[in-house]
Amino acid sequence: MKHLIAPSILAADFAHMGRDIKMLDESQADWIHIDVMDGRFVPNISFGFPVMKAIKPLSNKVMDCHLMIVEPEKYIQQFADFGADIITIHYEASHHLHRAMQALKDCGVQAGVALNPHTPVSLLFDILEEIDLVCLMSVNPGFGGQKFIYSTLQKVRTLRAEIDRRNLSTKIEIDGGVGLHNAEALLQAGADVLVAGSAVFKADDPKKMIESLKNIGQLKQL
Ligand code: DX5
Ligand code: ZN
C-alpha cells in the first residue's frame, strides 16, 4: 500500500481555518489530522466539537481525530456524530481499551490507539486484532513543532513485524516531528501514515510539501 499523508491542523492558521482546510482538500493529503487536547491528559488545550463540526462540511478527506484527553470513552459518540472517520484514543488514558475499541466500531468509526513515546508497542499485542490504527507518538503529545524522538524507529519495526506476522491490516501512523528529513526512514521501518503539522504549514508552499511527502520512495518502487 502506498503511504498516506495526514496534515495536522494544529499548525494551521486558526484565524483562517476555512482557507487552510480548503487548501488541504485540494492537496494530495489523504487524511486531515485533528488534534483534540483537554489541558489534563496533555499540558495544552486546543479545540473540540465546534471546530470538528465546522470543518467537516469543508472537505471530503478522511477526518482522523486524535483525542489527547482523559476519559475519552465519554466523547466517542459525539466526535463520531460530528464527522470523525477515525478516532484514536490514548492507551495511557483508557482503563478498558478492548471495550473502547468495540465502542468505536459500534459508532461506525475506525478504532485507533495512540502510544506515548515511553509506552512499548508490545502492550497492544493482546488486542492487536481489534485495532485499525496504532498511532506512535514520536514527540511527547501536547504541542506541535517538537523534535522527533528517534527511538520511535525501532518501535515501528517491532510493530510492523508483529502486524505482518499475523497478516493484519492494522495501520501504523507516526505523529510528531515528521518531515522530509525522516519520512523515508519511517516508511522503510514500516510506517503507513505520516502526520505532519509544522512541516506542512510552515512550508513556503504547503501543497507542494504535501506532494513531496506523498512522493517519497516513489522512485524506488518503480
Ligand atoms: C502533538 C500532536 C501532533 C502535532 C504534530 O501532540 O498530536 O499531531 O500536531 O505536529 P508537528 O508535525 O509540528 O510535530
Ligand atoms: Zn496528533
Side-chain angles (χ1 to χ4, degrees), residues 8 33-35 66 68 135 137 173 175 195:
S8 163
H33 186 82
I34 300 161
D35 285 308
H66 176 195
M68 286 162 275
C135 173
M137 293 306 305
E173 178 178 64
D175 188 5
V195 175

Side-chain angles (χ1 to χ4, degrees), residues 5 7-8 23-24 178 196-207 209-210 213:
I5 303 300
S8 163
M23 178 278 291
L24 293 179
V178 174
S198 311
V200 167
F201 285 97
K202 303 268 182 283
D204 291 339
D205 186 341
K207 258 193 216 167
M209 176 55 72
I210 293 167
L213 288 166

Side-chain angles (χ1 to χ4, degrees), residues 14-143:
F14 287 9
H16 299 96
M17 189 59 100
R19 180 202 65 191
D20 284 358
I21 297 290
K22 195 163 177 287
M23 178 278 291
L24 293 179
D25 195 55
E26 291 164 355
S27 77
Q28 290 188 34
D30 299 281
W31 298 355
I32 296 180
H33 186 82
I34 300 161
D35 285 308
V36 178
M37 304 180 184
D38 66 353
R40 294 187 64 206
F41 182 70
V42 289
N44 194 11
I45 299 175
S46 57
F47 46 72
F49 303 128
V51 169
M52 180 76 219
K53 194 179 166 192
I55 65 176
K56 178 68 181 176
L58 304 181
S59 172
N60 290 322
K61 304 276 182 185
V62 168
M63 295 290 164
D64 173 33
C65 197
H66 176 195
L67 302 186
M68 286 162 275
I69 63 177
V70 298
E71 300 186 291
E73 297 86 353
K74 279 189 183 171
Y75 306 100
I76 286 171
Q77 184 69 58
Q78 272 161 290
F79 277 106
D81 290 346
F82 284 128
D85 298 293
I86 304 164
I87 298 180
T88 297
I89 67 171
H90 268 261
Y91 169 89
E92 301 84 3
S94 178
H95 292 300
H96 304 283
L97 208 50
H98 183 275
R99 181 185 288 151
M101 294 298 104
Q102 298 306 320
L104 286 165
K105 287 174 188 160
D106 290 346
C107 291
V109 299
Q110 288 189 49
V113 179
L115 299 181
N116 280 340
H118 70 275
T119 306
V121 291
S122 58
L123 286 172
L124 295 181
F125 286 0
D126 287 339
I127 60 161
L128 207 47
E129 275 79 3
E130 314 299 327
I131 304 174
D132 297 311
L133 174 84
V134 177
C135 173
L136 298 179
M137 293 306 305
S138 39
V139 298
N140 288 294
F143 303 92

Side-chain angles (χ1 to χ4, degrees), residues 159-217:
L159 183 57
R160 177 86 269 152
E162 191 62 20
I163 288 170
D164 289 352
R165 190 179 72 76
R166 299 197 209 173
N167 210 8
L168 300 176
S169 56
T170 309
K171 288 188 176 63
I172 303 176
E173 178 178 64
I174 313 300
D175 188 5
V178 174
L180 288 175
H181 62 293
N182 53 18
E184 185 154 8
L186 285 164
L187 296 175
Q188 276 172 6
D192 301 296
V193 188
L194 302 179
V195 175
S198 311
V200 167
F201 285 97
K202 303 268 182 283
D204 291 339
D205 186 341
K207 258 193 216 167
K208 207 144 191 114
M209 176 55 72
I210 293 167
E211 190 183 326
S212 302
L213 288 166
K214 186 72 188 168
N215 287 335
I216 278 174

